[in-house]
Amino acid sequence: MKDKTRFDVVGKPRRRVDGRSKSTGQTQFADDIVRPRMLHAKMLRSHLPHAKVVSVDATRARAYPGVHLVLTGADFPVSYGLLPVTQDEYPLAPQRVRYVGDPVAAVIARDEQTADEALALIDVQYEQLATVSSPEEALLTPEPRIHDYGEQGNLHRLQAYEFGDVEEALAKSDHVFEDTFFYQGNTHLAMEEHAAVAETDGEGKLTMWASTQVPHYLHRTLARVLQMNAAHIRVIACPNGGGFGGKTDVCNHEMVVAKAALMLGRPVKICLTRQEVFYMHRGRHPVLMKIRTGVSNEGRIDAMHVQTLLDGGAYGSYGVASTFYTGALSCVTYEIPRYKWDGCRAFTNKPPCGPKRGHGTPQPRFGQEIQLDKIAEKLRIDPAELRLNIVAKPNTLTANWLRIGSIGLAECIRTVVARSDWKSKHGKLPVGRGVGIACSSYLSGAGLAIYWNKMPHTGVQILLDRSGQVTAYCGATEVGQGSDDVLAGIVSEVLGIDPRDVRLVTGDTGITPIDLGSYSSRVTVMMGNAAIEAAEQVREKLAQAAAELLDSVPERIVFAQGRAFVSEDPSRSLSFVEAVVAAETRFGTIGALGSYAPPKPPGKFKGAGVGPSPAYSYTACVVEVEVDPNTGWITVPKIWIAHDIGRTLNPTLARGQAIGSVYMGLGEALMEEQAFRRLPAKLSNALVHRVPSMLDYKSPTTLDMPEVDCVMVEDPDPNCPFGAKEAGQGPLLPVMPALANAVFDAVGVRIDELPITPDKILAALERKAKGETPRFGPESFPEVPYPDPIFVVPPGEGGDGDVLKTPDGKPVHRPRSGRAAREGAPA
């Protein structure tokens, strides 16, 4: 064969080998054989919300020039899902599609355009099925079932718990308030869309680069779907251009490119469009809520009963956890001695919902904080004072057996009240202007892993080189929240060096110790504790070696400013590099491993695993609004927010997280909604997105952002690294209810659903003018077949954290009628 030469884009000569690729018919070059060119994948998605897949004919697509492979559901016989209890998805739907956008086939071609053109050549025959469009419709439509598993019909999950006799407490309360609220679903809107690249090496091992928040769980899922040895898979989580929970699920496109790379032996890439990200969704669940709360004349809570109904979309995703989170954290913010919660998640033929910043907790917090304002109004108590009087106590157990450690919420409330000049504004501003307050709490990491086990939740490895280089390895993923900075900062703080001297390797399952992922605000606490453990082990060896050279003892060696010195005589010192060399001379290569697992949860009942955390963060927020009574238009001049962070490790990043939460909360409060519409019958009657585009999906711009007065309240928590708690999610939660309460203060109408839009304000003002209840929101809550609740005696009444049992050891389920006698149960 003749050798010919051409130059690639960087000027490197490339040897041409006369010949054609069998798969593409294109000229091959010698270096293509060593490292084949990238191929590109596109996915064919269903245009119907619910249908059987009768047949998929890809004959024409496979013959299209430039196409290397076409995959269908037949190529993926194994299902997957992030939670062990919901393995209900396939990379490509083999038998049934369940929402508009459900993928049924994929084309892998020489470029995206070719792949996109070939998609149009795939012929899919469907048999359309009835569509379930809402949880209310799911309750009334048990058939056809969207999935063959679940509680009943199209109800995915039903849960009920009671901690103490709630009906008895409500009967004795001075006042009982009952309200219904609705929180519309919305999406994450990360700047970077989802993307993945998969490649195999000469040994058939797979490497994937992905925009994921959970490389460890993606690694597990790839091994399951591909039926491949997990040790032969490596997942590298690229720094994300935003995640907010949208990249915490494992995704079908990731499985598709992995399978294609294995079959073709070439790297395969896929980048989703913005429209496809809307289809994938995994965003905020729409939740309908009914809340009954009994209070004393002084405003103290006697008992609370929360009922939630979630629109889960077409698949399980995180849905079981999401359902629990609509009830699990209600008692962490304020003292609630008795508590009852009923939760239901329904399947619908819409894109699957999942975790979004605050995962399951913003919805009930919205309702509870508005109801507290209604209670304060009725009892003629200042809303801020009412909250101050009922703040939960530190180092206590809640009614539902969650352990509270440090809590700086009272100081947060006092801070925003003082800085906003609350007392001279609330109820005293001219009509059209008002202020509102709300509070919240959130996890600093989930107390249990998704796959329950007794292993650590994270690990950090530190390696020192005789040059003085410090390398820290951890599986945690940088998604813009600053986790890499936290890791470098903690290691450098312990070793007394500059953070810039710490080299980081993170988010790589082939190199780093396991970390479960960047979700539930877990990274600072869990990775941080592991990093301290590893760094302290390294420091101990350095101190021993330095002490020998400095004629001292290890306990008196201090590390700071890049030096090791004797505490009582800083002039006796070594450089950090000299200390490392001395330690390596004495001990050999210097390195250490640290790991972390959260404390054991205090609850023993089934379901007690959702809600425990090493620590909880707390936030208070005041929002000021201007409402035009003629148009309903809302302007937000300023927001004050105080966040109990424990201790601030990086003030700039912490403030950025809090202000970012305010921005996202403002969008959810005023405009963001993942809404749907039906096409006309002649166009299939399909349920489709109303706005699957950033051209129409409303989100605040920089011009919409108000001034934000942000304060970090420090109350160090002993369970956390240097006392630092989370800051990435908690500050979002109080923004929406504070704004709703401010609207009431401004124009005297309650908007009990999100988003709060001008048309809703005008409708409520019209009712007010007619002498009707000045409110806009859901009027009723449907009958839901909640089970009889599992009954657990709260700690304040002598409970042991387990389900109440009969003398023969059977769990007690209280009849839903309330205070029915528990036959055979202990008194």
Side-chain angles (χ1 to χ4, degrees):
M1 293 190 296
K2 295 181 180 179
D3 286 347
K4 298 182 181 179
T5 301
R6 116 178 158 182
F7 289 82
D8 66 10
V9 291
V10 294
K12 175 184 174 183
R14 305 180 67 202
R15 290 182 59 246
R16 173 176 159 182
V17 179
D18 283 347
R20 298 270 175 182
S21 164
K22 292 181 180 180
S23 58
T24 66
Q26 293 182 311
T27 301
Q28 282 192 309
F29 288 81
D31 52 341
D32 290 337
I33 298 172
V34 176
R35 188 179 181 87
R37 287 183 178 180
M38 183 88 70
L39 299 177
H40 296 264
K42 296 290 287 185
M43 300 170 74
L44 180 65
R45 299 178 181 274
S46 168
H47 66 284
L48 297 174
H50 199 195
K52 291 181 180 179
V53 179
V54 177
S55 64
V56 180
D57 185 355
T59 305
R60 292 189 299 153
R62 289 190 173 102
Y64 194 70
V67 170
H68 288 250
L69 180 67
V70 177
L71 296 171
T72 68
D75 295 299
F76 295 97
V78 180
S79 64
Y80 71 92
L82 193 100
L83 301 185
V85 295
T86 50
Q87 304 287 306
D88 60 356
E89 293 192 63
Y90 290 87
L92 299 171
Q95 298 175 329
R96 188 190 296 189
V97 291
R98 295 175 169 88
Y99 67 97
V100 172
D102 216 353
V104 294
V107 172
I108 293 83
R110 63 190 175 201
D111 52 47
E112 278 191 305
Q113 182 176 339
T114 301
D116 201 45
E117 290 168 354
L119 290 181
L121 302 177
I122 300 174
D123 182 25
V124 183
Q125 297 296 318
Y126 296 105
E127 180 185 322
Q128 194 162 347
L129 300 172
T131 301
V132 177
S133 63
S134 68
E136 292 84 355
E137 196 170 310
L139 290 166
L140 302 173
T141 313
E143 298 289 341
R145 298 188 73 181
I146 296 173
H147 288 282
D148 293 333
Y149 79 98
E151 303 285 358
Q152 56 179 275
N154 284 308
L155 301 185
H156 174 205
R157 195 74 177 189
L158 290 165
Q159 302 289 162
Y161 291 89
E162 186 170 8
F163 303 90
D165 196 328
V166 169
E167 293 299 328
E168 179 184 73
L170 291 174
K172 293 179 179 179
S173 295
D174 295 325
H175 307 273
V176 176
F177 292 79
E178 181 175 311
D179 294 285
T180 307
F181 304 93
F182 178 65
Y183 197 114
Q184 179 60 280
N186 46 67
T187 196
H188 312 87
L189 220 62
M191 286 190 295
E192 177 200 41
E193 295 98 334
H194 295 64
V197 175
E199 181 183 45
T200 58
D201 62 17
E203 297 178 336
K205 295 179 180 178
L206 176 72
T207 299
M208 171 168 283
W209 294 262
S211 54
T212 179
Q213 296 175 238
V214 286
H216 169 65
Y217 290 122
L218 176 54
H219 188 132
R220 290 180 63 107
T221 306
L222 286 168
R224 172 187 169 90
V225 169
L226 302 173
Q227 295 291 279
M228 188 175 174
N229 185 343
H232 294 172
I233 298 173
R234 178 185 180 189
V235 175
I236 301 171
C238 304
N240 286 200
F244 313 116
K247 295 167 184 171
T248 59
D249 212 336
V250 287
C251 306
N252 41 39
H253 65 273
E254 294 161 338
M255 315 300 146
V256 165
V257 294
K259 179 80 169 182
L262 288 169
M263 293 178 68
L264 296 171
R266 295 180 65 166
V268 181
K269 178 180 181 179
I270 189 167
C271 296
L272 300 192
T273 65
R274 179 63 62 180
Q275 185 171 353
E276 288 180 299
V277 174
F278 272 99
Y279 289 150
M280 261 195 52
H281 192 41
R282 317 294 157 142
R284 186 87 72 212
H285 283 73
V287 180
L288 182 67
M289 299 158 277
K290 184 169 78 171
I291 303 175
R292 281 196 306 153
T293 303
V295 297
S296 68
N297 287 324
E298 295 74 34
R300 301 198 67 81
I301 298 175
D302 298 318
M304 180 181 288
H305 182 192
V306 176
Q307 293 180 294
T308 61
L309 177 60
L310 292 77
D311 185 339
Y315 289 101
S317 184
Y318 278 83
V320 173
S322 306
T323 306
F324 269 97
Y325 277 129
T326 62
L329 297 188
S330 296
C331 300
V332 173
T333 313
Y334 306 113
E335 288 187 310
I336 303 174
R338 292 184 180 181
Y339 178 63
K340 185 178 181 181
W341 166 68
D342 303 317
C344 173
R345 184 180 192 262
F347 284 126
T348 59
N349 293 117
K350 293 189 275 192
C353 296
K356 185 187 174 187
R357 205 173 197 168
H359 192 191
T361 62
Q363 298 94 322
R365 180 55 50 196
F366 173 73
Q368 290 162 19
E369 291 294 321
I370 293 176
Q371 189 180 67
L372 280 179
D373 238 49
K374 295 180 181 183
I375 292 169
E377 180 200 2
K378 176 70 179 292
L379 301 182
R380 299 179 183 273
I381 300 174
D382 181 281
E385 291 298 325
L386 181 140
R387 288 169 169 83
L388 271 173
N389 292 335
I390 60 175
V391 166
K393 300 294 189 293
N395 304 311
T396 57
L397 288 172
T398 67
N400 60 333
W401 290 88
L402 300 180
R403 182 180 289 113
I404 298 173
S406 65
I407 172 170
L409 180 55
E411 183 59 29
C412 289
I413 295 173
R414 295 187 189 100
T415 298
V416 294
V417 164
R419 296 175 74 92
S420 67
D421 197 16
W422 167 268
K423 292 188 181 298
S424 66
K425 290 180 179 178
H426 181 255
K428 300 173 183 176
L429 295 173
V431 173
R433 293 180 58 198
V435 290
I437 191 170
C439 302
S440 68
S441 55
Y442 197 65
L443 309 158
S444 292
L448 288 180
I450 289 172
Y451 289 79
W452 287 13
N453 58 70
K454 296 181 180 180
M455 293 183 286
H457 289 210
T458 191
V460 172
Q461 180 180 12
I462 297 177
L463 180 65
L464 271 62
D465 182 80
R466 64 192 63 176
S467 66
Q469 175 178 293
V470 177
T471 306
Y473 300 84
C474 183
T477 305
E478 176 62 68
V479 295
Q481 85 282 39
S483 61
D484 281 0
D485 182 90
V486 168
L487 178 57
I490 286 176
V491 171
S492 64
E493 179 72 18
V494 175
L495 298 182
I497 58 178
D498 192 293
R500 291 173 294 180
D501 295 335
V502 181
R503 185 185 299 273
L504 301 177
V505 180
T506 57
D508 186 333
T509 66
I511 297 177
T512 62
I514 281 177
D515 179 85
L516 298 184
S518 293
Y519 62 91
S520 79
S521 283
R522 57 179 298 284
V523 176
T524 291
V525 172
M526 300 195 186
M527 177 191 72
N529 279 325
I532 288 174
E533 182 179 281
E536 286 180 342
Q537 292 177 54
V538 167
R539 186 179 64 187
E540 184 177 343
K541 290 183 179 180
L542 297 180
Q544 291 180 41
E548 189 174 311
L549 294 178
L550 297 173
D551 193 25
S552 183
V553 293
E555 294 75 19
R556 293 185 178 179
I557 300 299
V558 176
F559 292 85
Q561 298 182 344
R563 302 194 67 79
F565 55 86
V566 180
S567 58
E568 66 270 21
D569 184 5
S571 64
R572 293 157 57 194
S573 68
L574 300 171
S575 71
F576 182 76
V577 174
E578 291 171 330
V580 173
V581 169
E584 187 172 343
T585 302
R586 178 174 176 181
F587 298 108
T589 301
I590 303 299
L593 286 168
S595 59
Y596 178 77
K600 185 179 180 180
K604 304 173 187 176
F605 56 92
K606 184 177 180 180
V610 179
S613 178
Y616 299 94
S617 71
Y618 294 87
T619 312
C621 177
V622 169
V623 174
E624 183 172 348
V625 300
E626 297 172 358
V627 182
D628 186 334
N630 296 314
T631 64
W633 190 259
I634 303 171
T635 302
V636 182
K638 191 167 183 178
I639 293 177
W640 295 263
I641 194 155
H643 181 67
D644 166 23
I645 195 173
R647 174 170 285 159
T648 309
L649 299 182
N650 183 314
T652 301
L653 286 178
R655 284 174 52 82
Q657 287 288 292
I659 294 171
S661 290
V662 170
Y663 164 82
M664 187 168 280
L666 194 64
E668 295 191 22
L670 293 176
M671 60 190 75
E672 295 192 36
E673 54 181 330
Q674 177 102 327
F676 295 82
R677 61 188 173 89
R678 279 202 183 276
L679 294 176
K682 64 180 181 180
L683 295 177
S684 80
N685 200 37
L687 188 70
V688 297
H689 277 85
R690 193 172 75 197
V691 283
S693 161
M694 287 182 67
L695 293 173
D696 298 299
Y697 181 93
K698 298 295 186 294
S699 181
T701 69
T702 53
L703 298 178
D704 299 307
M705 268 298 284
E707 178 185 353
V708 179
D709 182 293
C710 178
V711 177
M712 293 292 150
V713 172
E714 296 199 325
D715 181 15
D717 192 289
N719 285 330
C720 302
F722 302 117
K725 300 193 282 191
E726 75 89 32
Q729 302 192 60
L732 175 143
L733 273 67
V735 175
M736 297 77 73
L739 190 144
N741 292 335
V743 168
F744 177 78
D745 190 46
V747 291
V749 298
R750 292 285 181 191
I751 310 299
D752 289 345
E753 70 173 51
L754 290 181
I756 301 171
T757 53
D759 57 307
K760 296 174 183 177
I761 291 177
L762 292 177
L765 286 171
E766 186 177 342
R767 292 181 181 179
K768 181 181 179 182
K770 293 178 180 178
E772 300 172 358
T773 303
R775 171 186 179 271
F776 188 97
E779 299 294 338
S780 63
F781 193 89
E783 288 292 326
V784 179
Y786 295 115
D788 289 339
I790 294 172
F791 191 84
V792 181
V793 178
E797 298 179 22
D800 62 0
D802 206 350
V803 175
L804 187 65
K805 297 177 180 177
T806 61
D808 59 357
K810 295 180 180 179
V812 171
H813 290 260
R814 288 174 56 81
R816 298 204 62 76
S817 57
R819 292 174 294 157
R822 302 191 297 272
E823 184 176 351

